[in-house]
Amino acid sequence: MSLIRRYGYSLLTFSVAFLIMMFAFVNEGLFPFGENQIMIIDSWHQYYPILQELQFKLQHGESLFYSWNTGTGTNFFVMMAYYAMSPLNFLSFFVPAEFLREFMLFATIGKIAFAGAFFTEYLRGVFKSKNLSIVLFGLMYAFSGFLMGYYWDIMWLDCVALLPLVILGLHRLMDEGKFGLFVFTLALSLISNFYIAYFVCEFIALYTFVVYFTKYRSKGITHFFNKISKVVMYSVLAIGSAMLTLLPIFIGMQRAYGLSSGNPTSFKLYHSILDILNNLLAYVEPTVVDGLPNISITMIGLLFMIFYFLVPGIPTKNKVINGSFAAFLILSMNINYLNFVWHGFHFPNQVPFRFSFLLSFVLLTIAYEAMTKLNELPVKAVLKVTGVMMVYLIVNEKLYTTLFDAQVFYISAAFLLAYASIVLLYKHDKVSIKFMAKMILIVLLVEITVSAFHATEVAGNSGRTDYPVQNSEVQAALDDLYAKDTGFYRLEMYQQYSANDPLLYGYRGITQFSSTANSKLNTFAKKMGMSADPGGNSNRYLPGTPVINAMFNIKYLLSKHAALPIPNAAYTKFNEFTDLEVYENRYAFPLGFKVNPDILNLTTTDISPFRRQEQFMSLATGNEVTFFKGVEAVNETYENMDRHLLEDIRYHYKNIDASKIGKAKIEFVAQQTKQMYIYMLNQTKTVTLKMNGVSTTHQTPRGVIIDLGIVEEGTSFELSFEVMASASGYFDIHVVTFDDEVFTVTRNDLIDEAFEVDEFTQTKLTGVATLNSDGLLYTSIPYEKGWKVKVDGDRIEPMAYQDAMIAIPLREGTHQIEFSYVSAGFVSGLMISVLSLLILASIYVLGRKTDFQKEQKELKSKRGQHEIAG
């Protein structure tokens, strides 16, 4: 009962926020109240598939360090730390897999509700308030612009929710020297999501000075350094406590593209200040992907934020400091240099101003301080502020007819007048402060409910029934396949449903879309002809040539809706399900095979990926091989284009009218019945292939290989596409036939000296390789520092072939080989975390001992004084 009395207002905030968000999602027809689900944008392609992999690992006792079910093999610990390290996610262990989407829904609602409850607790602790007002402001934080616009980005919500507790801990540390809450919540933030926690750390570095100079007056330089040094020391210990995740992340992300970003080259403003300020109003459309910063704090929050600067009892110094800091945050969202620094010296791809929740926190804090001193605010000030805000709304409505929704004007004005009227009733002694708070709560409940309904409507949802499509057929195919073939191999799917199909369906695959993706692997894959984009953090498998399948250990292909062109020289049918066929790669290669050391001389500079693949196989065998033979175009038709040069496979062109797009059609005819492939690279989105009366569309910006299957002699096909409006440019087209007889000889030569896997888990592979001569064992295991290799029991250092794949030098003979994996930095990080916790424990024990000694000394002194008095 004492806990309920103590935390009653926080529990009330949590309950109200939870119910309102629940009603908003019920209104959107989310299951079990409809046939929709919460996943949109990246939660559809990334968060849910990764969470599903985490749940599977937890429920089946698999290692969290590595996963073969994405990106050819990935450091899952780093992926989990980026996307799914929320403490709530580990509760998915208790949830049936078929209800994981609903778990994700309730976790989202819970995090929003926790944000409100923790802000309520923050206000109770900092302002020593024990009344309904802290519930009001807790709800304002829970339904602030950031949480309403980005609630779908579930991995970010933990740190936003924990921020109030971190700053409450900061106050306790500075006031009382108590470090527990600060260290625990900051460390938990860093573990939950290091990316958003980075913003929190930046905020602490700045806000500490705001807190100090608004809290203390003329205490001297010693006092200042004492307080700041404590914050620095315990911040370091909090970071140290989180090192079990931070160090592996730091090491793992060295191979991710996200650490690379262009620097700003000139000063730039993103939006007008008026546009940004307008986003503080009610019913503004939240930014879901691109747009203005999400900073709304409800109209009552905005009203009291302005009151803060008019309350006489608040020191002018505090107003200047807080006002300047809020202005700095606003400028940081508008000046490219500041935005660049806030985002870790990196420009984010979409979802802009990811630190905007910090401004909401600051504004609501000063707004609450104004509310605590409302009795000091003159009535005239309330009237003037209300009048000025109404004029501002009217002027905006008149000037921004296209940008400023009329609904924003009417809804903002209605809530402004309602809140102002309630405040004026209190100021004229018509109602008590408790009754005023209740009246504001009623109006606020309406406003935040409207906000929640609006946000969920703008963000949208997706259908639950067919997510993922054909899942039952795919799972049946995988069960059958893994039962019949228990060896280690990879498989893929065509056509794909999401950007992370291997995670979504649960198979050992190539495809991956992740900010933690191994960019070195993707760079190599792209050079070899896969549809990879290192800058886009993705690799999308399409039916490749037998060389690509060999290099990446693809043994089976699941073909949906008869998508794979048949007949096909590379595949034979293995099994068949409803609208789904399983094909076996007739040229399958093992995980590892012996190659000639000359493979290290691979240049990958040729424009054509087909010739790069031939170079790889030629160097691997030590013999010059040719699998692909070029096919010339028979007809070219251009509109608003002058194709003036053909350099190898590269077509150079000029647009006749540079302001308009150009169009092209290029026709080919099969000269003999052969397996054929097309490679095309074009900066426009797509190319349309028309063959045998059927048209298919293919993505070309990153370059793509199109499998045509076996094409009958005399068959014509046409590629049609557009080019961007520009003065000049180029596109690459290479149409080839494939010689399966030559490739069969090459394959047999290479797999004769292969690595045969005997046993494997997520983090360990053991097997035997027999070599007839010295050479390199090339493997399709992506190179990462966490891999350790033993040959015949002796530890050897693996090579990073093309900085992408693991290769190991071997002598002639039979060798027992073992690959084992632990995320690099985990052991060292764990040791640092343990050391940090031991230091904290020692400080705590010493502090308790010192306090006890002080108490004993004071007690002894009192006894002595009592005896003298007696």
Side-chain angles (χ1 to χ4, degrees), residues 709-811:
I710 297 175
V711 182
E712 294 291 330
E713 180 181 351
T715 301
S716 66
F717 51 93
E718 177 186 271
L719 297 171
S720 59
F721 54 94
E722 296 178 347
V723 296
M724 295 188 298
S726 61
S728 61
Y730 70 87
F731 52 88
D732 298 339
I733 298 179
H734 197 190
V735 179
V736 298
T737 59
F738 174 71
D739 193 324
D740 58 324
E741 293 181 0
V742 174
F743 185 77
T744 299
V745 173
T746 303
R747 171 185 179 271
N748 293 338
D749 185 22
L750 288 172
I751 68 171
D752 184 51
E753 301 173 87
F755 172 56
E756 300 295 339
V757 178
D758 295 329
E759 296 181 17
F760 66 92
T761 65
Q762 292 293 322
T763 56
K764 192 172 183 179
L765 291 156
T766 58
V768 177
T770 300
L771 274 63
N772 300 325
S773 60
D774 296 352
L776 287 177
L777 184 71
Y778 165 88
T779 77
S780 57
I781 303 173
Y783 176 82
E784 288 192 31
K785 290 183 178 180
W787 280 109
K788 293 180 174 60
V789 181
K790 288 183 178 180
V791 177
D792 301 325
D794 296 325
R795 171 88 178 271
I796 69 165
E797 192 65 30
M799 297 173 57
Y801 177 67
Q802 289 286 312
D803 201 19
M805 317 303 292
I806 289 180
I808 56 176
L810 291 177
R811 296 288 187 181

Side-chain angles (χ1 to χ4, degrees), residues 133-343:
S133 63
I134 58 176
V135 175
L136 300 178
F137 280 79
L139 291 172
M140 293 178 207
Y141 186 72
F143 292 90
S144 58
F146 185 95
L147 288 167
M148 291 299 94
Y150 296 145
Y151 73 79
W152 58 270
D153 215 325
I154 186 173
M155 66 179 188
W156 290 354
L157 304 186
D158 296 74
C159 291
V160 181
L162 287 169
L163 175 66
L165 295 185
V166 174
I167 303 304
L168 174 58
L170 177 65
H171 279 272
R172 289 182 180 175
L173 175 61
M174 297 180 75
D175 289 345
E176 308 167 42
K178 295 180 178 179
F179 61 83
L181 181 64
F182 177 73
V183 171
F184 174 75
T185 54
L186 179 55
L188 184 59
S189 297
L190 289 162
I191 291 171
S192 298
N193 186 264
F194 72 92
Y195 180 74
I196 299 299
Y198 174 80
F199 299 139
V200 174
C201 290
E202 289 180 296
F203 183 71
I204 292 170
L206 298 173
Y207 198 60
T208 296
F209 296 97
V210 173
V211 172
Y212 182 86
F213 288 112
T214 55
K215 185 182 287 283
Y216 306 111
R217 296 183 183 179
S218 304
K219 293 288 186 177
I221 194 69
T222 302
H223 182 269
F224 171 78
F225 279 110
N226 179 49
K227 296 294 184 183
I228 299 302
S229 62
K230 280 187 177 181
V231 175
V232 172
M233 180 180 73
Y234 288 110
S235 296
V236 170
L237 288 171
I239 293 170
S241 301
M243 271 295 166
L244 79 163
T245 61
L246 294 182
L247 189 57
I249 289 166
F250 177 78
I251 295 173
M253 290 296 287
Q254 300 303 309
R255 298 185 68 80
Y257 186 85
L259 293 183
S260 305
S261 176
N263 298 322
T265 56
S266 60
F267 181 85
K268 179 183 178 182
L269 294 176
Y270 296 118
H271 304 283
S272 74
I273 294 297
L274 190 61
D275 285 338
I276 295 176
L277 294 178
N278 281 344
N279 251 32
L280 285 166
L281 301 175
Y283 208 70
V284 292
E285 183 167 304
T287 292
V288 176
V289 178
D290 279 316
L292 290 160
N294 289 314
I295 57 175
S296 63
I297 53 173
T298 73
M299 289 304 292
I300 185 63
L302 179 59
L303 189 63
F304 275 100
M305 184 271 291
I306 298 173
F307 287 164
Y308 173 83
F309 297 97
L310 301 176
V311 173
I314 298 176
T316 302
K317 180 189 70 171
N318 290 13
K319 295 176 182 178
V320 171
I321 293 172
N322 279 306
S324 298
F325 187 57
F328 171 74
L329 290 174
I330 292 173
L331 289 175
S332 297
M333 299 173 200
N334 204 33
I335 297 175
N336 62 332
Y337 285 104
L338 292 176
N339 189 48
F340 180 74
V341 173
W342 271 104
H343 284 99

Side-chain angles (χ1 to χ4, degrees), residues 602-633:
L602 182 72
T603 60
T604 67
T605 56
D606 199 295
I607 297 175
S608 171
F610 300 126
R611 289 200 285 265
R612 295 178 205 142
Q613 294 172 24
E614 287 177 335
Q615 183 192 11
F616 176 88
M617 286 298 184
S618 296
L619 293 171
T621 59
N623 300 311
E624 191 71 28
V625 294
T626 302
F627 313 124
F628 304 107
K629 181 179 179 182
V631 177
E632 301 293 330

